[in-house]
Amino acid sequence: MTVTGIITAIVVGAIIGALGRLVVPGRQPIPIWLTILIGIVAAFIGTFLARAIGVPTATSGIDWLELLVQVIVAAIGVVAVASLYGRRSIRH
């Protein structure tokens, strides 16, 4: 993977992760780096799922249905990670 590909994955992951956090109601106690990581993973899984259900992913513009699947996957990821991350307790 090239440097441009890595930077693109981080930017797309940040956008997908942020959109995933926006659609989840309430406050999510997770850091921004974890949101970006969730977004990157959701982008890959969302693309895989979109192709598996027959959504055209190679169009000449923005693939809105693919983006919707990615955001849904990111929202599910944010809920799952926030519930696990929020359970951490600090012991004194």
Side-chain angles (χ1 to χ4, degrees), residues 8 21 26-27 29 34 38 71-72 74 83 88 92:
T8 303
R21 276 183 87 162
R27 186 175 178 277
L34 195 51
I38 292 168
V71 171
I72 291 170
S83 67
R88 295 184 347 169
H92 296 279

Side-chain angles (χ1 to χ4, degrees), residues 47 50-51 54-64 66:
T47 299
R51 288 181 183 161
V55 173
T57 58
T59 61
S60 62
I62 297 175
D63 300 323
W64 293 107
E66 179 184 9

Side-chain angles (χ1 to χ4, degrees), residues 8-44:
T8 303
I10 292 170
V11 170
V12 169
I15 293 168
I16 298 294
L19 289 172
R21 276 183 87 162
L22 284 175
V23 298
V24 174
R27 186 175 178 277
Q28 300 83 34
I30 58 175
I32 191 69
W33 65 266
L34 195 51
T35 301
I36 293 171
L37 185 63
I38 292 168
I40 292 169
V41 171
F44 285 117

Side-chain angles (χ1 to χ4, degrees), residues 61-86:
I62 297 175
D63 300 323
W64 293 107
L65 293 176
E66 179 184 9
L67 180 63
L68 179 65
V69 172
Q70 291 171 339
V71 171
I72 291 170
V73 171
I76 293 168
V78 165
V79 169
V81 171
S83 67
L84 294 174
Y85 198 82

